[in-house]
Amino acid sequence: MSVDDRFVRDFREGQEEPLGTRSEIITGPVSDWASDFSHLEPEWAADPYPIQDELRARCPIAHTERFGGGWLPTRYEDVAAIAYDTEHFSSRAIIMSNYRPPRDIAPVGAVPPISSDPPFHHDARKLLLPAFTKKEVAKREEAARAFCHSLIDGFEGAEIVDAARDYAQHIPMRVISDMLGFPPEDGPRFREFVEHALEGVNLPPEQRVANMGELFDYLLEQIRDHVASPRDDLTTYLIEAELYGRKLEPSHVAGTMALLLIAGIDTTWSAIGASLWHLAKTPADRERLVAEPGLLPTAMEEFLRAYAPVTMARLVKEDIHWRGADMKADDWVLVSFPAANRDPAQFDRADEVIIDREINRHAAFGLGIHRCVGSHLARMELRVALEVWLERVPVFGLADPSAVTWAPGQVRGPRTLPLRIG
Amino acid sequence: MKVQIDPARCQGHGRCYDLSPDLFTEDDEGYGQVVGDGVVPPGGERAARVAVSNCPEKAIVLVEEA
């Protein structure tokens, strides 16, 4: 057996700086949401739903010149159609920003398989699926539950706690760092990586490149440590994995790890936080779930529908006249699962949160070939986090509604959530 | 009544085996599978309909037998 020397050299060395295209950074108040939308502005972060509802009734596909040009469909039907149409819409970039990677980065993309297009996508995704089945993630439930209890033990004596900072964020961080085999004490660094990747979209390009560089420096450090001492975790699994009869490219190993780390954390953190926020401001729902814990799996799906954290992006492959929109090659399309989930054409009483909603064909985890690979893990974490919270802290409310803050960008959830628990 | 999963549509969301575990299960990659031959036992009609109406990909087919 030959020594695995793929990671001795930094795989980024000698690589040419990818060409791609940069666009002008445009920030500041939105003049008209139909022609100038931006999901990075505070108004959107604070409450995007009235904006989406208005656009759905008015447009229904909004446009912006920001980010070098992009579109925002708001009807379920349109969001679904784009998610299914990999012929006209590419995943080679999935975070709408002021940088478009070069076309030849497809079909792999920087963070496979989320950034991959068919046919490569299928094979890269297949490598991950067995580790993320419901049966497989169930093995982590006991540890997740114990960890949630330990976080609540830490509230001892406090009257007000920050449920986003002191509870929600830690749960997915701990679970994914265990799965990847990263030191649990590196949590604060993960938070930085997440904020850089998803919220730092309008930072100067040099800053974004430096930020991503830090993430990949960290990952390379972890990979080298695992090459030296392999163990039973996803990092070693990816180092050993083979595709088409050979081990993965170093950039594929690191890219997939980056994806699992970033996408594994802030999404679930957001879902847990948004659910607790809803329950804190809706005593009737909170009391009912405390009294009927068996309803939680159903209620949780409704929280996922109404407060779906994740929006994805695509790039238009070639100029196309699409359902009334003149889309140009390389325009962005924001695939808003949150907007789709509140379309009254798809859901009865779409704007209401109905915790015993029986028919709930929501799209919080996406639709089509890119269905969130971690959806079973996310559901387990969300259920356990809410079960433990409601068991231990059955009475709580918003300590100061105006102090609640929400992350802007494509993953939206509470980042500050002061709750009165005493 | 019989349930079937269209494998071309199923993406492994797992709503069917979450909601109606007597009728559906998962394969090694998380895709839904019908249990046995998919025949819905007496009293299982509701569970079958719940699974159908919650599948995000509309991948489950109900075959009403004559």
Side-chain angles (χ1 to χ4, degrees):
Chain A
M1 212 184 92
S2 63
V3 179
D4 189 348
D5 57 5
R6 282 174 297 162
F7 303 97
V8 173
R9 212 177 82 144
D10 188 325
F11 61 88
R12 296 164 295 181
E13 278 171 32
Q15 267 185 356
E16 285 173 42
E17 195 64 20
L19 288 173
T21 43
R22 299 192 192 289
S23 47
E24 190 197 343
I25 299 169
I26 306 172
T27 57
V30 166
S31 57
D32 177 354
W33 286 93
S35 59
D36 182 39
F37 75 82
S38 170
H39 58 309
L40 272 310
E41 293 305 316
E43 193 184 343
W44 178 278
D47 191 5
Y49 306 119
I51 301 170
Q52 294 167 2
D53 289 346
E54 197 221 327
L55 291 174
R56 202 184 296 107
R58 225 177 111 190
C59 290
I61 303 176
H63 183 255
T64 189
E65 296 288 339
R66 301 182 191 215
F67 314 104
W71 302 89
L72 171 65
T74 50
R75 293 192 304 191
Y76 177 93
E77 199 190 320
D78 294 339
V79 170
I82 288 170
Y84 288 127
D85 187 350
T86 55
E87 195 191 325
H88 298 106
F89 303 97
S90 170
S91 287
R92 77 175 207 271
I94 34 86
I95 302 298
M96 186 174 179
S97 72
N98 298 294
Y99 169 71
R100 287 158 172 77
R103 288 186 169 209
D104 62 7
I105 200 175
V108 180
V111 283
I114 201 172
S115 62
S116 310
D117 288 328
F120 180 84
H121 166 267
H122 174 266
D123 304 322
R125 179 178 170 90
K126 201 175 164 68
L127 290 175
L128 295 179
L129 289 173
F132 288 92
T133 60
K134 186 178 177 185
K135 193 171 145 194
E136 204 52 40
V137 304
K139 296 175 186 164
R140 301 191 171 270
E141 179 166 336
E142 204 185 316
R145 188 176 299 276
F147 183 63
C148 290
H149 276 289
S150 75
L151 292 171
I152 290 184
D153 292 340
F155 297 168
E156 187 65 46
E159 275 184 25
I160 293 175
V161 296
D162 186 333
R165 193 195 60 205
D166 302 334
Y167 191 68
Q169 71 161 328
H170 296 294
I171 299 159
M173 273 182 196
R174 173 59 68 95
V175 171
I176 202 70
S177 67
D178 280 356
M179 287 182 81
L180 285 162
F182 293 175
E185 63 274 15
D186 288 349
R189 301 192 66 186
F190 303 160
R191 178 171 179 151
E192 245 175 65
F193 297 147
V194 165
E195 285 171 353
H196 287 164
L198 293 155
E199 296 174 38
V201 162
N202 277 330
L203 291 173
E206 310 74 52
Q207 184 66 47
R208 272 188 73 70
V209 169
N211 288 344
M212 288 314 276
E214 272 176 38
L215 166 60
F216 280 88
D217 288 345
Y218 177 81
L219 295 174
L220 193 55
E221 201 181 295
Q222 297 302 323
I223 291 170
R224 285 175 176 155
D225 186 50
H226 279 73
V227 170
S229 41
R231 49 210 105 139
D232 181 16
D233 58 31
L234 277 174
T235 299
T236 293
Y237 172 78
L238 287 167
I239 292 168
E240 298 296 327
E242 290 189 9
L243 203 53
Y244 316 123
R246 49 186 297 191
K247 290 198 172 169
L248 306 180
E249 293 295 328
S251 57
H252 182 161
V253 173
T256 297
M257 289 168 64
L259 166 64
L260 296 176
L261 186 67
I262 303 292
I265 292 176
D266 68 328
T267 50
T268 311
W269 164 15
S270 296
I272 297 169
S275 303
L276 290 172
W277 172 78
H278 174 86
L279 292 170
K281 72 182 181 75
T282 320
D285 287 350
R286 175 179 57 75
E287 284 159 18
R288 184 162 175 209
L289 282 181
V290 169
E292 293 176 57
L295 187 61
L296 185 64
T298 306
M300 198 177 98
E301 295 301 319
E302 179 67 346
F303 299 147
L304 286 167
R305 181 191 70 83
Y307 308 115
V310 182
T311 296
M312 276 293 128
R314 298 286 186 269
L315 284 169
V316 176
K317 285 191 182 173
E318 305 295 341
D319 292 3
I320 181 175
H321 190 72
W322 198 85
R323 300 192 178 180
D326 265 318
M327 299 182 174
K328 302 290 177 210
D330 276 0
D331 276 355
W332 296 100
V333 182
L334 216 41
V335 187
S336 175
F337 299 114
N341 278 352
R342 284 175 176 250
D343 182 352
Q346 181 71 13
F347 300 93
D348 290 334
R349 299 160 71 191
D351 57 345
E352 292 174 50
V353 177
I354 301 168
I355 60 169
D356 56 3
R357 190 186 288 272
E358 265 211 310
I359 298 179
N360 202 344
R361 197 178 257 149
H362 69 76
F365 293 106
L367 292 167
I369 64 167
H370 289 281
R371 186 269 302 168
C372 170
V373 81
S375 66
H376 300 287
L377 182 66
R379 281 189 163 108
M380 183 276 280
E381 292 177 36
L382 177 58
R383 178 174 48 77
V384 169
L386 295 178
E387 277 171 2
V388 172
W389 182 286
L390 289 169
E391 182 193 322
R392 298 281 304 274
V393 190
V395 180
F396 59 101
L398 293 178
D400 174 6
S402 65
V404 178
T405 62
W406 295 78
Q410 284 180 231
V411 180
R412 180 179 180 272
R415 292 296 177 264
T416 315
L417 180 57
L419 299 185
R420 180 171 299 281
I421 61 167
Chain B
M1 188 193 277
K2 238 180 134 164
V3 283
Q4 292 173 345
I5 293 178
D6 178 353
R9 298 190 74 103
C10 175
Q11 298 292 351
H13 291 259
R15 301 304 295 134
C16 57
Y17 51 80
D18 274 351
L19 291 163
S20 307
D22 294 342
L23 298 174
F24 301 92
T25 182
E26 63 177 335
D27 72 7
D28 292 343
E29 294 182 343
Y31 293 103
Q33 302 265 288
V34 298
V35 171
D37 56 8
V39 173
V40 178
E45 294 83 0
R46 190 165 176 278
R49 293 210 165 84
V50 164
V52 170
S53 57
N54 280 286
C55 175
E57 309 287 349
K58 301 185 181 130
I60 306 174
V61 187
L62 260 192
V63 185
E64 307 269 355
E65 282 164 340

